[in-house]
Amino acid sequence: MGKICDKVHSLKTVIMMVFIQAAYAGMSLLYKLASNDGMNLRVLIAYRFLFAAATVVPLALYFDRKSRPKMTWMVMLLAFLSALFGGSMPQNLYAESLVLTSATFATAMINLIPGITFVVAILFRLEKLGLKTRAGQAKVLGALIGIGGAMLLTFYKGLEIKTWSIKINFRGHMAPSQQHQKPYAHILGPILAICSCFSTAFSLIFQAKMSELYPCHFSSTALISIMGALQAGGFALSTERDWSQWKLGWNLRLLVVVYAGVVASGITIIFLMLCVRMRGPLFVSIFTPLMLVCVAIGGSLFFNEKLHLGSVMGATIIICGLYMVLWGKNQEIKRTSKLTPSTKYEESDQDDHIVPSNVIGIAPNFHPINEMVQLSSQVIMKEKESINLDSKV
């Protein structure tokens, strides 16, 4: 019995990561189910941020009570921009894309975020191509492979793959507006999904700066969640005047809202922080494609979503690109950490490894590769500072 307990204890991070990916997969499927039920997803997202803020704020008040720095107008502005580009905007774009396409398609496109983040970082000169190194070549090739997979996923269907399904008539409760798919959905859906990825990538620029000025990550996540609730709530109120959409009873809508805010944006934050602290961001990133597998299985079981050869091939290529970018980024971090001459900086780098970024509370799904992008930039900056100091001496 003791050996079994020890084995379970050694696998606790794996168990937590499986739970996290399953929780995010459940959120995507519940988005689809709520849309089929006639719920306005803009209202759902507003409620999600509201419940997320209610979950994270007490954690921030407790854990950051002794280390919270002074709030400034610059921090407030960065929190607003981080919430806009990393929360309310990509969430609404992702939800609309999910409605127009399928849960499996929208989830597969999310795996483009690391490659797009790399492209955005290059445009803003936060990253270098480094084509002379294997790490740089892997990142560039991974980004191109991911884009190619997205194009294949969008424009090629191929043969239909027969899957199993459970005879549950979710479509019987589908709202009239959802009964007939829009003729341009196969084009608009992927565009919205890619825009969601770009929005999340741009948010990292503001989050990186905010992490420097306001390093208390529980408090910054709570602040961004509050800003996201205000933004998403304002957007939903301006576009949805039917107050029956805002009414929550003891029904499916309440379940989806509570799950989205408490589980998908609350409990998963705690688990992610524990996993990143114990095993690092690379370990956490490995489990990212598991969500796509869960969504594909759930979509075929409960929504009778049809899988095509092109979808499977495109999703597989995107995941291959994801792992190539991930490998390149990990090699770059190892190389820059070896070049850091001071023990003080090495200890600081280790601390950076165990602190998750604000993206965990607001992005459609957490991608620790984004953490590695910020971490690499911080390591390179510290390396340059140390070299400048040595040259002055």
Side-chain angles (χ1 to χ4, degrees):
M1 187 65 182
K3 293 183 178 179
I4 296 177
C5 293
D6 292 340
K7 188 66 175 178
V8 173
H9 181 74
S10 64
L11 293 175
K12 60 183 179 181
T13 51
V14 175
I15 295 173
M16 285 191 290
M17 283 309 307
V18 172
F19 170 82
I20 289 168
Q21 297 302 324
Y24 284 142
M27 187 66 261
S28 295
L29 295 174
L30 286 176
Y31 268 5
K32 190 72 172 181
L33 183 58
S35 174
N36 291 350
D37 190 56
M39 185 177 187
N40 190 318
L41 291 186
R42 297 164 186 166
V43 175
L44 190 159
I45 292 169
Y47 275 124
R48 174 178 182 173
F49 278 104
L50 187 62
F51 276 75
T55 304
V56 179
V57 167
L59 297 176
L61 293 176
Y62 177 77
F63 288 105
D64 294 340
R65 63 187 184 278
K66 296 181 181 179
S67 58
R68 190 180 300 109
K70 181 181 179 181
M71 181 67 64
T72 63
W73 287 109
M74 179 57 69
V75 172
M76 295 286 288
L77 175 61
L78 291 173
F80 179 86
L81 294 174
S82 297
L84 177 63
F85 289 97
S88 55
M89 185 185 298
Q91 282 278 2
N92 280 281
L93 291 171
Y94 170 77
E96 188 63 28
S97 171
L98 186 146
V99 172
L100 293 174
T101 56
S102 67
T104 304
F105 183 94
T107 304
M109 297 294 280
I110 283 178
N111 288 278
L112 286 174
I113 291 178
I116 293 177
T117 301
F118 174 62
V119 174
V120 171
I122 290 177
L123 293 177
F124 283 86
R125 296 184 178 180
L126 299 175
E127 285 270 351
K128 293 183 178 179
L129 281 175
L131 292 177
K132 296 182 179 180
T133 64
R134 293 178 63 186
Q137 293 169 2
K139 290 189 296 181
V140 173
L141 185 60
L144 294 176
I145 288 176
I147 294 172
M151 295 178 66
L152 180 64
L153 189 69
T154 302
F155 298 110
Y156 176 70
K157 283 190 175 183
L159 298 175
E160 181 180 342
I161 299 176
K162 300 294 182 181
T163 57
W164 60 91
S165 62
I166 297 177
K167 300 297 182 181
I168 299 178
N169 187 19
F170 284 127
R171 295 184 180 271
H173 301 284
M174 190 180 296
S177 60
Q178 298 290 335
Q179 292 284 354
H180 302 286
Q181 191 64 278
K182 297 178 181 178
Y184 51 85
H186 67 288
I187 297 296
L188 182 60
I191 292 176
L192 293 177
I194 294 175
C195 289
S196 174
C197 295
F198 268 101
S199 180
T200 303
F202 275 109
S203 73
L204 297 178
I205 299 172
F206 305 112
Q207 290 188 42
K209 184 64 177 178
M210 185 176 179
S211 296
E212 296 176 6
L213 300 178
Y214 202 74
C216 294
H217 294 273
F218 272 112
S219 296
S220 57
T221 301
L223 181 60
I224 292 174
S225 296
I226 293 173
M227 292 289 187
L230 295 174
Q231 294 168 357
F235 179 64
L237 285 171
S238 63
T239 56
E240 181 56 70
R241 302 298 177 86
D242 183 5
W243 294 108
S244 62
Q245 287 284 347
W246 293 85
K247 185 178 180 180
L248 297 177
W250 295 99
N251 51 23
L252 171 67
R253 299 186 179 190
L254 179 62
L255 170 65
V256 174
V257 167
V258 173
Y259 182 93
V262 177
V263 178
S265 298
I267 297 176
T268 53
I269 291 178
I270 301 173
F271 282 4
L272 279 168
M273 285 187 170
L274 290 174
C275 291
V276 174
R277 182 177 295 273
M278 290 188 289
R279 301 295 296 272
L282 179 62
F283 172 82
V284 178
S285 301
I286 295 173
F287 290 84
T288 302
L290 180 59
M291 176 189 169
L292 176 58
V293 176
C294 294
V295 171
I297 295 175
S300 62
L301 282 175
F302 301 111
F303 296 101
N304 197 26
E305 291 184 350
K306 297 180 180 180
L307 286 177
H308 294 85
L309 180 61
S311 300
V312 176
M313 292 174 60
T316 303
I317 292 174
I318 289 175
I319 292 174
C320 291
L322 165 69
Y323 279 126
M324 289 193 68
V325 175
L326 188 65
W327 181 86
K329 180 55 61 178
N330 184 53
Q331 294 299 313
E332 186 178 80
I333 291 175
K334 287 182 179 180
R335 180 177 60 84
T336 52
S337 61
K338 288 180 181 179
L339 293 175
T340 307
S342 174
T343 305
K344 178 180 178 181
Y345 290 132
E346 290 176 1
E347 293 175 353
S348 178
D349 293 342
Q350 292 175 359
D351 291 339
D352 287 338
H353 266 286
I354 63 176
V355 181
S357 70
N358 307 325
V359 77
I360 57 178
I362 57 177
N365 300 284
F366 172 62
H367 289 271
I369 183 66
N370 298 333
E371 186 69 25
M372 300 177 73
V373 171
Q374 295 185 25
L375 176 60
S376 176
S377 300
Q378 294 172 3
V379 171
I380 293 172
M381 289 299 295
K382 289 175 181 177
E383 177 190 345
K384 290 180 178 179
E385 291 175 2
S386 62
I387 293 174
N388 292 335
L389 288 174
D390 293 340
S391 61
K392 290 180 180 180
V393 173

